Amino acid sequence: MSGGHLWSGRFDQAPDPAAFDFGVSFPFDRQLFEDDVFGSLAWADALGRAGVLDAAAIARIKDGLRQVLERGRQDPSWVAGDDEDVHSFVERQLVALVGDDGRRLHTGRSRNEQVSLDFRLYMRRRIPLLQARVRALIAALADQAERSGEALMPAYTHMRRAMPVLVSHFLLSHAAALRRDHVRLAVAMDEADALPLGSGAVAGTGYAIDTAALAAALGFSRVVPNSMDTSSDRDFAVSFLHAASLAMVHLSRLAEDVIYFTAEEFGFFDLADSSATGSSMMPQKKNPDPMELVRGKAGRAIGHHVALLVAMKGLPTGYNKDLQEDKEGVFDSEQTLAVSLDACTAVIAKLTLRPERTGKAASGLLLATDAADYLVRKGLPFRNAHEVIGRMVRELLAAGRDFDDLSPAEWRAYSELFGDDVREAVSALASVKARRTPQSTNPDAVKAALAETRAWLAAQG
Ligand code: ARG
C-alpha cells in the first residue's frame, strides 16, 4: 500500500488504516470530479505557456483528461476507489491512460490550491441552480399575489391582529426576503470568483505560470492577492453557508405562516391535498408535513454555517487539514436548500385563498388605528385620539360588539368630531387605501411591487 499514495516516497511504512481512512475525503469530494478535471485541463496549458511541458505532452495529457471526464460523466459510479481524494483519483486514472506525461501534470501545483480551485468552480456551477429555484418560489408567490386581487387579511404584530393588509402584500413580503437571498447567493459566488492557482502549497509556485491567462481560461474575473491567505481561505464557503442558512430561515418562517394560516383556527388558506399528508389514526387530519420539514431542516443549514466558522477560527495561517471539513456541510446545505425551495414552491403554487375568512378577520377592532387617525384628521392630537378610541375598544369588547355595529349617534357619543362618513372611513379597504408609502399595503403600491417583481423575474431570464 505504501506505493499507492501521492506522497508515498517519503515514508517507510504503509499508513495505518485507522489513521488513513479517517483522513480520506474521496467519498464526498468526488462531487468535485468535473471541476478537478477542468482545473487540470487548464493547468496543463498553463504549464505549456510556462515552458514546462511541450505541445505533444500537453495534447496527450488533455486527451487523457477528456477521456477521464467522459468516463466519469457517463458512469458516475466509476468515480470511486480507495483513493485519498478526488485529486488523487483523477491523477491515478490519467497516469493509467497516458503514463509518464500524467506524472508531469502536478508540476508546480499543490492540492492545497487545487481543492480551493475545485471548490470555487463548484460554487460557480451550482449557485445559479439554487438561484433559479429561488426565482421559481418568488414567481409562485407573485402568481398567488396576483390571484388574490384586493382580498384583505389582518397583519399581525406580537401574533395579535394589528392592521388590515392586502393578502398580496403578505405574499410579496416573503418574496422580498427571497430577493435578498438571491443577492446573497450572488455575493457568495462573487467571493469565490478568484483564481487560487499559482499559490502553490502556501508560498507561490516556482514556475512561470501566467496567472492572468489561467484565470481567463477558467472564467475567473481576478486572481487571489496573497498565496498564504489563499491556502487557508474558505470565506467564500462561509459566505455560501450564511446565504443558505439565512434562506432556510426565510423558508422556515414562510412554512410557519403556511402551517398556522392553513390550520382550522385560521382557515385563511386551504392546503392542497397533494401538499399534505394524512394521519394513520385520525381520519380527519390533513397535515402540513412538507412545511414542518422545511422548518425542521433550517437547523441543519444553521449548524453547517456555525460548524465551518468554528473549524476555521483557531487555524494558523496556511493550509491545515481541518479545512477538509468545509465540503460536507456545503454539499448538505446546498441539497437541503434545493429540496426545501422545491417543496415550498409546490405548496405555495397550490394554496387556495379563502377571502371570506381573511376579510372577516381583517375587520372589527383592528381598525382602531384608523378610527384614531380619523379624529386626528379632524384636528384632535393623536394622544387624545388614542385615548378616546381606547375607551371605545374597552367598552365594545365588554359588550361583545365592534365598530361595524355602531350607529352615527353612538360614534358621536364618544366624540363630537365623528361625522356620518366615519363608517366608510373606518373599514379595512379604506385602511389599506389610506397607506401612502411605496412599501405600504396601499393597493397601488402593491400593484407596483408586483409589476416590479414580474419585471425582475423576466430580466433574470
Ligand atoms: N482533501 C483535502 C481537502 O479537502 C485536499 C487538500 C489536501 N492537502 C493536503 N496537504 N493534504 O482539504
Side-chain angles (χ1 to χ4, degrees):
M1 184 139 181
S2 73
H5 301 290
L6 297 178
W7 31 258
S8 305
R10 188 231 177 274
F11 291 90
D12 283 338
Q13 296 171 344
D16 182 338
F20 178 77
D21 294 353
F22 179 61
V24 158
S25 56
F26 195 28
F28 50 89
D29 71 14
R30 59 191 292 284
Q31 291 201 59
L32 303 175
F33 168 70
E34 280 194 17
D35 310 293
D36 198 74
V37 177
F38 284 128
S40 287
L41 282 164
W43 185 249
D45 283 329
L47 287 177
R49 281 191 296 270
V52 177
L53 294 179
D54 63 31
I58 295 169
R60 285 189 294 271
I61 289 172
K62 289 176 74 175
D63 181 58
L65 286 169
R66 285 198 193 95
Q67 286 182 54
V68 171
L69 179 64
E70 217 25 58
R71 181 135 187 224
R73 276 184 168 170
Q74 270 167 24
D75 176 15
S77 70
W78 175 71
V79 184
D82 48 20
D83 304 88
E84 183 181 348
D85 52 32
V86 67
H87 326 293
S88 318
F89 170 82
V90 171
E91 189 171 323
R92 176 167 67 82
Q93 297 299 345
L94 179 67
V95 170
L97 283 170
V98 307
D100 268 353
D101 287 320
R103 293 191 182 90
R104 293 198 167 89
L105 177 62
H106 207 56
T107 311
R109 185 176 68 168
S110 159
R111 279 185 295 162
N112 299 350
E113 53 184 338
Q114 211 181 340
V115 71
S116 169
L117 173 76
D118 293 3
F119 213 20
R120 289 165 187 267
L121 291 173
Y122 179 85
M123 299 266 168
R124 218 176 57 195
R125 180 159 72 83
R126 306 289 295 195
I127 288 178
L129 304 177
L130 285 174
Q131 288 180 302
R133 288 175 143 109
V134 171
R135 292 197 298 275
L137 177 52
I138 291 173
L141 288 161
D143 288 347
Q144 282 286 4
E146 181 131 31
R147 278 203 288 283
S148 69
E150 292 212 331
L152 294 153
M153 68 183 282
Y156 297 81
T157 63
H158 311 270
M159 203 58 226
R160 305 289 189 271
R161 287 180 190 174
M163 294 188 75
V165 289
L166 293 177
V167 172
S168 49
H169 196 50
F170 159 70
L171 292 162
L172 291 178
S173 74
H174 285 289
L178 291 162
R179 287 279 288 276
R180 292 194 296 276
D181 295 323
H182 200 272
V183 171
R184 221 170 266 116
L185 287 166
V187 168
M189 203 161 99
D190 179 65
E191 220 176 317
D193 179 21
L195 176 81
L197 293 181
S199 298
V202 68
T205 189
Y207 296 86
I209 299 298
D210 180 344
T211 51
L214 185 52
L218 284 166
F220 287 105
S221 71
R222 59 189 187 275
V223 180
V224 295
N226 182 299
S227 64
M228 292 179 79
D229 170 50
T230 298
S231 79
S232 50
D233 173 23
R234 293 295 180 275
D235 292 4
F236 58 94
V238 174
S239 291
F240 170 76
L241 290 171
H242 172 60
S245 57
L246 198 40
M248 284 302 299
V249 166
H250 292 149
L251 296 188
S252 178
R253 282 159 52 160
L254 171 65
E256 171 67 5
D257 280 356
V258 170
I259 290 166
Y260 67 78
F261 281 156
T262 57
E264 290 92 339
E265 276 71 12
F266 281 86
F268 285 2
F269 295 90
D270 275 332
L271 210 52
D273 283 359
S274 57
S275 307
T277 46
S279 158
S280 58
M281 180 184 159
M282 300 165 282
Q284 87 284 8
K285 289 299 288 293
K286 186 165 152 186
N287 296 331
D289 288 28
M291 296 294 88
E292 295 167 82
L293 265 178
V294 165
R295 194 176 56 189
K297 281 179 189 291
R300 310 160 63 123
I302 296 165
H304 293 318
H305 183 199
V306 174
L308 184 55
L309 284 169
V310 174
M312 283 167 58
K313 76 167 272 294
L315 294 185
T317 296
Y319 179 83
N320 298 275
K321 185 80 165 181
D322 316 44
L323 292 168
Q324 182 166 290
E325 286 295 306
D326 59 357
K327 282 172 274 300
E328 287 160 290
V330 164
F331 297 148
D332 186 67
S333 282
E334 179 200 354
Q335 173 68 10
T336 299
L337 180 56
V339 295
S340 300
L341 283 164
D342 288 354
C344 287
T345 303
V347 169
I348 294 294
K350 291 187 190 148
L351 278 183
T352 308
L353 176 67
R354 296 175 68 189
E356 67 305 333
R357 302 259 321 177
T358 58
K360 189 161 185 320
S363 66
L365 294 176
L366 90 168
L367 299 173
T369 312
D370 298 283
D373 282 340
Y374 179 97
L375 294 175
V376 168
R377 280 199 299 279
K378 300 279 169 164
L380 198 65
F382 180 76
R383 274 296 143 239
N384 304 39
H386 190 287
E387 198 158 319
V388 171
I389 304 300
R391 188 160 58 84
M392 277 184 88
V393 168
R394 183 151 42 87
E395 292 176 11
L396 288 172
L397 271 175
R401 304 177 63 190
D402 71 47
F403 297 123
D404 289 346
D405 314 330
L406 293 182
S407 69
E410 285 176 298
W411 279 100
R412 253 187 299 280
Y414 286 97
S415 167
E416 286 298 320
L417 296 171
F418 283 123
D420 290 348
D421 56 346
V422 66
R423 300 209 48 171
E424 225 169 281
V426 181
S427 75
L429 191 59
S431 173
V432 297
K433 285 186 173 158
R435 304 303 122 212
R436 293 188 169 210
T437 44
Q439 71 269 44
S440 75
T441 192
N442 177 288
D444 291 333
V446 176
K447 203 173 287 170
L450 182 58
E452 190 277 335
T453 304
R454 296 275 194 217
W456 178 79
L457 284 168
Q460 299 292 314

